[in-house]
Amino acid sequence: MTPLEPDKIDTLFINCHLATMTGNAFSIIEKAALAVTGKTISWIGKEKDLSDHLKTKCQKVIDCKNGWILPGFVDCHTHLVWGGSRSNEFEMRLAGASYEEISKKGGGIFSTVQATRKASKDELFILASKRVAALLSQGITTLEIKSGYGLNLETELKLLEVIRQLDKDFPVHIEATFLGAHALPREFANDPDGYIDLVTDTMLPKIKNQGIATAVDVFCEHIAFNLSQTKKVFQTAKDLGLNIKLHAEQLSDSNGAALAAQFSALSCDHLEYLSLDSAKKMADNHVTAVLLPGAFYFLKETQKPPVDILRKLKIPMAVSTDLNPGSSPVHSMTLVLNMACVLFGLTCEEALLGATIHGAKALSLEKSKGSIEKGKDADLVVWDIDTAADLCYLAGLTPIKMVIIEGRILHDNFKNE
Ligand code: NIG
Ligand code: FE
């Protein structure tokens, strides 16, 4: 290994343990040190391999006080730009109404669409900023945000512009996904194919032109769009060179995952009703499974995603908040980690891989994000925990000491000690 030169290091972290996630596996280095140069990780290893000279000569040395450093969390599935509130629907569901019943009566996604269409770009930005800030304070350093509460060209573009502004104004890295095919807007109630034509012929080319989204998602479900409509959106996305994702088999088995696999989608998300055959197609086409225990919990679902099959087929499992107003108003990754273990039966190691390197893979960012490796972006969180499993175990606690994004120190709670 090349010797470390103090003048080439901007920040040296010592007295820490690392959970690196290197090689898509849960790997740890105890009694470690980590060096950051510019935006990237320049060295990791055992602290005993560093000379005392180096520690005294480095510009900035941070004593992590025996804390753990993990890659910043990658939250690869959110819908966090929305207007209005659905707390009334929460109360309706507590009184016995189902998510589908509320949706069929014109509530659900439609009520958020109405409120989002009415809201100005500035209003949506202010609302969404609070949510991004909350996620950042939970150790999330990379984030995906979907549009999908506009369902017309003007409002879908407004949402994607808000997402672009959030990416500019916050240190968090944000990927934008176009989810125009999220629900059928009222204006097209009797003409679903007509709406899909609008998505493929007008919205998608505009979005591609403006370079305002990197991926395209569809809600393939009996309360949303069928297989052939989904296929049409995928074909257009593919022709335009956009990545593909799918809300698949959340409430029933629509064979969406198999279709998405045919299109080499980056990910299929939810997957409670995934069949063995579709899972095999996902494995063959290297599609990541995104598990969303927040929505499962919040909708009081009983059908769990087939984790044993995913494991057996070695399909990477990401976990994410699915932050949205209707099915997962969950603003905490540590809570989601806990749910992934308790509700879906993931091990703590699987859940942590899911919130880091596998989340990055679901966004095609695994070369730069999601693990602690030399040359990767220095997106790191220093945690005040005894073992990495504490992040899954201590439900809802977020004992963050420091957040670093691309080498920049953001939160520094060591200062307050
Ligand atoms: O991921 N499944 C579809 N979309 C969201 C729910 C959106 C909503 O209810 O507003 C989800 O669960
Ligand atoms: Fe979703």
Side-chain angles (χ1 to χ4, degrees), residues 77 79 86 89 99 108-109 112 146 149 179 182 219 247 250 270 292 295 299 322 324-328:
H77 180 140
H79 309 243
R86 305 244 291 275
E89 290 181 12
Y99 181 71
I109 294 175
T112 301
K146 302 172 196 296
Y149 288 124
L179 177 58
H182 191 194
F219 187 18
H247 279 70
Q250 179 184 10
H270 287 287
L292 304 166
L299 298 183
D322 191 12
N324 75 69
S327 69
S328 187

Side-chain angles (χ1 to χ4, degrees), residues 35-93:
V36 172
T37 305
K39 292 180 174 184
T40 55
I41 297 166
S42 47
W43 188 87
I44 57 171
K46 287 275 189 194
E47 187 178 337
K48 69 173 167 47
D49 294 337
L50 294 179
S51 67
D52 287 342
H53 162 78
L54 190 94
K55 287 187 216 168
T56 50
K57 284 280 181 270
C58 268
Q59 269 191 40
K60 193 172 181 112
V61 178
I62 292 175
D63 178 352
C64 297
K65 302 190 176 153
N66 212 28
W68 279 80
I69 304 184
L70 270 80
F73 289 141
V74 179
D75 194 357
C76 65
H77 180 140
T78 82
H79 309 243
L80 70 70
V81 189
W82 77 80
S85 163
R86 305 244 291 275
S87 70
N88 61 326
E89 290 181 12
F90 177 52
E91 293 189 277
M92 283 160 74
R93 285 201 304 104

Side-chain angles (χ1 to χ4, degrees), residues 9 17 47 76 110 130 133 221-222 250 252 256 279 306 321 330 334 356 361 366 371 381 386:
I9 297 173
H17 312 289
E47 187 178 337
C76 65
F110 302 100
K130 293 181 197 166
E221 191 58 68
H222 56 85
Q250 179 184 10
S252 61
T321 61
V330 175
T334 51
T356 55
K361 193 164 169 359
E366 70 273 24
S371 66
V381 180
D386 297 326

